[in-house]
Amino acid sequence: MKRFEILLLAIMMSVITMGQNKNAPVNYDENKVPSFEIADPLRCLDGQVVESTRQWESRRRPELLRMFGEMEYGVTPRKTGIKVRHEVVNSTPDAMDGLATCKQVRFTFTGKNGKSLQALLLLYIPNAPKGRVPVIVSYNFHGNQTTTIEPDVITSPSRELVKSLGSKAWVRGEQSSRWAYEMALQRGYAVATMCYHDICPDAPNLLVHGIPALLPDYNAENRGESEWGTIGIWAWGYSRIADYLEKEERVDKHRMAVLGHSRLGKTALWAGAQDKRFKVVISNNSGCGGAALSKRFFGENVSRITANFPHWFCPAFNHFSENESALPFDQHELLSLIAPRHAYVASAEADKWADPRGEYLSLYYAGPVYHLYGMQGLPSPVPPAVHQPQHYDVGYHIRSGGHDVTPYDWQCYLDFMDAALRLNE
Ligand code: GCU
């Protein structure tokens, strides 16, 4: 047996009585955070501590990627056999009062079994700068048409599977407060968005209507321990968007950022950990299973998240319900996989469910890997006050208010990206 299999088996045997529980207790008291040791991300499973970036990349990084795949998000298949076709269905050179060119691109995914699926990308490219521009890639929750009131934006295809067509969730512009397109475009960034339901509808019984339908060996009803959940599938989708953008003539493929909110922040981190084309990886209020340290057991916990959203992770993650201390890794090691690219974590003061302090500490404890590359992580284990962004080679801010994406968040991300991507050189 391989080392991981033995580890997983040992964990499963030790937690036979634990389980996912929608009513599992939730801790909001800092005094009740259990004492636990923060694993050194540089220490390999066999105890060796890596001392060079070469060792990190050849040994420890692959080891961590395997653990996150096998025990949390599911293993990303090396080859899916899925072919992707792109078709520009609409191109407007003077969208947003001439600020941008708007392209809408239909992706058709076809599996080896002949089944296919369509998704729609909405891409805004600023008109003022000449040449190639950096791009921010970010899924939306309710369809491209909800991110703006622009009338030409085509409604994303897969929504009716999730909620009835009449639902006000799908109304044009309904989520526009979360999309600071004009600010980004004015500052020289392109923005690409797609509805995450197009890649895989977000409900346990709907996986068969997403990318899994194109994989003949995927058994959505009875997944293997380490088989893909939707976070893994959405992360794969982020990489397919990057494939398209790499070929887009106005986009600078060396300056791609991925940004996600909440469950899509978890997804952005897993995508950014795996796909090195994302040079900046931004987690907005991603919480449990995202930036927040699981072992703090503060706010949402593994028992709650796996009970409420069983399809997000691979089944093996369930074994850590009410048993976070058995995890052979923690989320700071997910963040460390982004180095030497730039990780950014943002919290909201009232979003205790996402454990703002745990999100901050996670980025802080990814520091040793940044240091290995001669880069600067967060200098202090003490989180800053609200509205005091900390921008080093990694970035963090906490703002007032609750679980959301606001213009203030975008402003911080753009400030950070200007420096990280050296936009003004
Ligand atoms: C729920 C869930 C969180 C998730 C959030 C979201 O609150 O418990 O883990 O981040 O939904 O995606 O909005």
Side-chain angles (χ1 to χ4, degrees), residues 295-352:
K295 293 185 186 182
R296 270 175 48 80
F297 196 73
F298 188 103
E300 188 174 28
N301 54 50
V302 177
S303 184
R304 285 283 185 115
I305 202 167
T306 53
N308 288 319
F309 307 99
H311 55 298
W312 285 1
F313 302 93
C314 67
F317 197 46
N318 299 343
H319 302 303
F320 303 99
S321 296
E322 297 183 65
N323 190 34
E324 282 84 352
S325 63
L327 274 163
F329 51 78
D330 209 337
Q331 298 302 111
H332 64 301
E333 290 169 301
L334 179 69
L335 294 174
S336 73
L337 290 170
I338 295 162
R341 294 162 296 123
H342 304 274
Y344 197 114
V345 174
S347 307
E349 195 181 23
D351 188 13
K352 301 286 185 231

Side-chain angles (χ1 to χ4, degrees), residues 141 261-264 266 285-288 300 305 309 312 353 403:
F141 281 80
H261 169 59
S262 208
R263 69 199 68 183
L264 297 175
K266 310 180 208 296
N285 308 176
S286 64
C288 181
E300 188 174 28
I305 202 167
F309 307 99
W312 285 1
W353 183 240
H403 192 67

Side-chain angles (χ1 to χ4, degrees), residues 92-150:
T92 317
D94 54 357
M96 300 213 172
D97 291 330
L99 184 61
T101 295
C102 174
K103 280 192 179 178
Q104 299 183 75
V105 186
R106 185 179 297 126
F107 286 40
T108 305
F109 298 93
T110 307
K112 276 193 163 158
N113 55 7
K115 293 195 177 154
S116 63
L117 181 97
Q118 293 197 329
L120 199 60
L121 184 80
L122 170 64
L123 171 62
Y124 283 111
I125 305 171
N127 283 334
K130 297 280 162 265
R132 293 182 184 272
V133 293
V135 63
I136 303 165
V137 184
S138 186
Y139 283 128
N140 61 72
F141 281 80
H142 293 159
N144 298 345
Q145 79 287 352
T146 64
T147 67
T148 169
I149 52 166
E150 290 270 296

Side-chain angles (χ1 to χ4, degrees), residues 89 104-109 116-122 140-146 153-165 170 193-201 209:
V89 287
Q104 299 183 75
V105 186
R106 185 179 297 126
F107 286 40
T108 305
F109 298 93
S116 63
L117 181 97
Q118 293 197 329
L120 199 60
L121 184 80
L122 170 64
N140 61 72
F141 281 80
H142 293 159
N144 298 345
Q145 79 287 352
T146 64
V153 172
I154 305 167
T155 297
S156 294
S158 58
R159 69 204 199 285
E160 71 266 30
L161 292 166
V162 185
K163 263 189 202 134
S164 68
L165 285 180
W170 315 126
T193 188
M194 181 183 275
C195 180
Y196 78 136
H197 296 306
D198 284 3
I199 296 295
C200 191
H209 295 281

Side-chain angles (χ1 to χ4, degrees), residues 12 15 22 182 189 197 208 219 240 296 334 351 421:
M12 283 163 64
V15 294
K22 289 193 177 185
E182 291 188 8
Y189 290 82
H197 296 306
V208 284
N219 182 351
R240 303 294 70 79
R296 270 175 48 80
L334 179 69
D351 188 13
L421 299 173

